[in-house]
PDB file of all heavy atoms in Angstrom:
ATOM      1  N   VAL A 294      18.686  10.970  14.827  1.00 98.00           N
ATOM      2  CA  VAL A 294      17.531  10.333  15.458  1.00 98.00           C
ATOM      3  C   VAL A 294      17.832   8.845  15.498  1.00 98.00           C
ATOM      4  O   VAL A 294      18.076   8.224  14.470  1.00 98.00           O
ATOM      5  CB  VAL A 294      16.226  10.621  14.680  1.00 98.00           C
ATOM      6  CG1 VAL A 294      15.069   9.797  15.233  1.00 98.00           C
ATOM      7  CG2 VAL A 294      15.895  12.117  14.736  1.00 98.00           C
ATOM      8  N   GLU A 295      17.875   8.291  16.706  1.00 98.00           N
ATOM      9  CA  GLU A 295      18.286   6.902  16.883  1.00 98.00           C
ATOM     10  C   GLU A 295      17.179   6.168  17.624  1.00 98.00           C
ATOM     11  O   GLU A 295      16.792   6.568  18.724  1.00 98.00           O
ATOM     12  CB  GLU A 295      19.592   6.861  17.683  1.00 98.00           C
ATOM     13  CG  GLU A 295      20.213   5.495  17.746  1.00 98.00           C
ATOM     14  CD  GLU A 295      21.690   5.556  18.176  1.00 98.00           C
ATOM     15  OE1 GLU A 295      22.269   6.664  18.230  1.00 98.00           O
ATOM     16  OE2 GLU A 295      22.236   4.479  18.462  1.00 98.00           O
ATOM     17  N   VAL A 296      16.675   5.109  16.999  1.00 98.00           N
ATOM     18  CA  VAL A 296      15.536   4.398  17.588  1.00 98.00           C
ATOM     19  C   VAL A 296      15.783   2.894  17.544  1.00 98.00           C
ATOM     20  O   VAL A 296      16.657   2.409  16.811  1.00 98.00           O
ATOM     21  CB  VAL A 296      14.219   4.715  16.836  1.00 98.00           C
ATOM     22  CG1 VAL A 296      13.946   6.219  16.814  1.00 98.00           C
ATOM     23  CG2 VAL A 296      14.242   4.175  15.417  1.00 98.00           C
ATOM     24  N   THR A 297      15.021   2.168  18.323  1.00 98.00           N
ATOM     25  CA  THR A 297      15.053   0.707  18.306  1.00 98.00           C
ATOM     26  C   THR A 297      13.702   0.212  17.829  1.00 98.00           C
ATOM     27  O   THR A 297      12.667   0.677  18.308  1.00 98.00           O
ATOM     28  CB  THR A 297      15.330   0.166  19.720  1.00 98.00           C
ATOM     29  OG1 THR A 297      16.581   0.703  20.167  1.00 98.00           O
ATOM     30  CG2 THR A 297      15.396  -1.355  19.740  1.00 98.00           C
ATOM     31  N   LEU A 298      13.721  -0.694  16.868  1.00 98.00           N
ATOM     32  CA  LEU A 298      12.472  -1.312  16.415  1.00 98.00           C
ATOM     33  C   LEU A 298      12.602  -2.821  16.575  1.00 98.00           C
ATOM     34  O   LEU A 298      13.588  -3.424  16.125  1.00 98.00           O
ATOM     35  CB  LEU A 298      12.197  -0.993  14.942  1.00 98.00           C
ATOM     36  CG  LEU A 298      11.775   0.436  14.577  1.00 98.00           C
ATOM     37  CD1 LEU A 298      11.567   0.550  13.067  1.00 98.00           C
ATOM     38  CD2 LEU A 298      10.510   0.850  15.322  1.00 98.00           C
ATOM     39  N   THR A 299      11.617  -3.426  17.212  1.00 98.00           N
ATOM     40  CA  THR A 299      11.580  -4.872  17.355  1.00 98.00           C
ATOM     41  C   THR A 299      10.286  -5.388  16.747  1.00 98.00           C
ATOM     42  O   THR A 299       9.208  -4.905  17.090  1.00 98.00           O
ATOM     43  CB  THR A 299      11.637  -5.266  18.843  1.00 98.00           C
ATOM     44  OG1 THR A 299      12.851  -4.750  19.399  1.00 98.00           O
ATOM     45  CG2 THR A 299      11.594  -6.785  19.023  1.00 98.00           C
ATOM     46  N   ALA A 300      10.417  -6.330  15.822  1.00 98.00           N
ATOM     47  CA  ALA A 300       9.230  -6.946  15.224  1.00 98.00           C
ATOM     48  C   ALA A 300       8.914  -8.210  16.002  1.00 98.00           C
ATOM     49  O   ALA A 300       9.811  -9.018  16.276  1.00 98.00           O
ATOM     50  CB  ALA A 300       9.480  -7.281  13.762  1.00 98.00           C
ATOM     51  N   ALA A 301       7.651  -8.381  16.370  1.00 98.00           N
ATOM     52  CA  ALA A 301       7.253  -9.574  17.118  1.00 98.00           C
ATOM     53  C   ALA A 301       5.784  -9.859  16.888  1.00 98.00           C
ATOM     54  O   ALA A 301       5.013  -8.975  16.513  1.00 98.00           O
ATOM     55  CB  ALA A 301       7.520  -9.368  18.618  1.00 98.00           C
ATOM     56  N   ALA A 302       5.412 -11.108  17.143  1.00 98.00           N
ATOM     57  CA  ALA A 302       4.000 -11.479  17.044  1.00 98.00           C
ATOM     58  C   ALA A 302       3.225 -10.784  18.147  1.00 98.00           C
ATOM     59  O   ALA A 302       3.773 -10.480  19.216  1.00 98.00           O
ATOM     60  CB  ALA A 302       3.855 -12.995  17.170  1.00 98.00           C
ATOM     61  N   LYS A 303       1.960 -10.517  17.870  1.00 98.00           N
ATOM     62  CA  LYS A 303       1.126  -9.855  18.871  1.00 98.00           C
ATOM     63  C   LYS A 303      -0.288 -10.370  18.698  1.00 98.00           C
ATOM     64  O   LYS A 303      -0.842 -10.326  17.605  1.00 98.00           O
ATOM     65  CB  LYS A 303       1.174  -8.342  18.648  1.00 98.00           C
ATOM     66  CG  LYS A 303       0.354  -7.538  19.660  1.00 98.00           C
ATOM     67  CD  LYS A 303       0.503  -6.039  19.363  1.00 98.00           C
ATOM     68  CE  LYS A 303      -0.423  -5.179  20.202  1.00 98.00           C
ATOM     69  NZ  LYS A 303      -0.080  -5.101  21.616  1.00 98.00           N
ATOM     70  N   ARG A 304      -0.824 -10.883  19.775  1.00 97.00           N
ATOM     71  CA  ARG A 304      -2.228 -11.296  19.738  1.00 97.00           C
ATOM     72  C   ARG A 304      -3.032 -10.094  20.207  1.00 97.00           C
ATOM     73  O   ARG A 304      -2.835  -9.589  21.307  1.00 97.00           O
ATOM     74  CB  ARG A 304      -2.415 -12.504  20.665  1.00 97.00           C
ATOM     75  CG  ARG A 304      -3.793 -13.085  20.622  1.00 97.00           C
ATOM     76  CD  ARG A 304      -3.752 -14.578  20.238  1.00 97.00           C
ATOM     77  NE  ARG A 304      -5.114 -15.136  20.316  1.00 97.00           N
ATOM     78  CZ  ARG A 304      -5.819 -15.489  19.250  1.00 97.00           C
ATOM     79  NH1 ARG A 304      -5.314 -15.372  18.044  1.00 97.00           N
ATOM     80  NH2 ARG A 304      -7.035 -15.986  19.388  1.00 97.00           N
ATOM     81  N   VAL A 305      -3.875  -9.568  19.314  1.00 96.00           N
ATOM     82  CA  VAL A 305      -4.594  -8.332  19.647  1.00 96.00           C
ATOM     83  C   VAL A 305      -6.084  -8.541  19.557  1.00 96.00           C
ATOM     84  O   VAL A 305      -6.566  -9.248  18.673  1.00 96.00           O
ATOM     85  CB  VAL A 305      -4.323  -7.186  18.643  1.00 96.00           C
ATOM     86  CG1 VAL A 305      -3.976  -5.924  19.368  1.00 96.00           C
ATOM     87  CG2 VAL A 305      -3.326  -7.540  17.595  1.00 96.00           C
TER      88      VAL A 305
END
Side-chain angles (χ1 to χ4, degrees):
V294 172
E295 189 163 350
V296 303
T297 302
L298 288 179
T299 300
K303 181 179 172 71
R304 185 123 175 109
V305 229

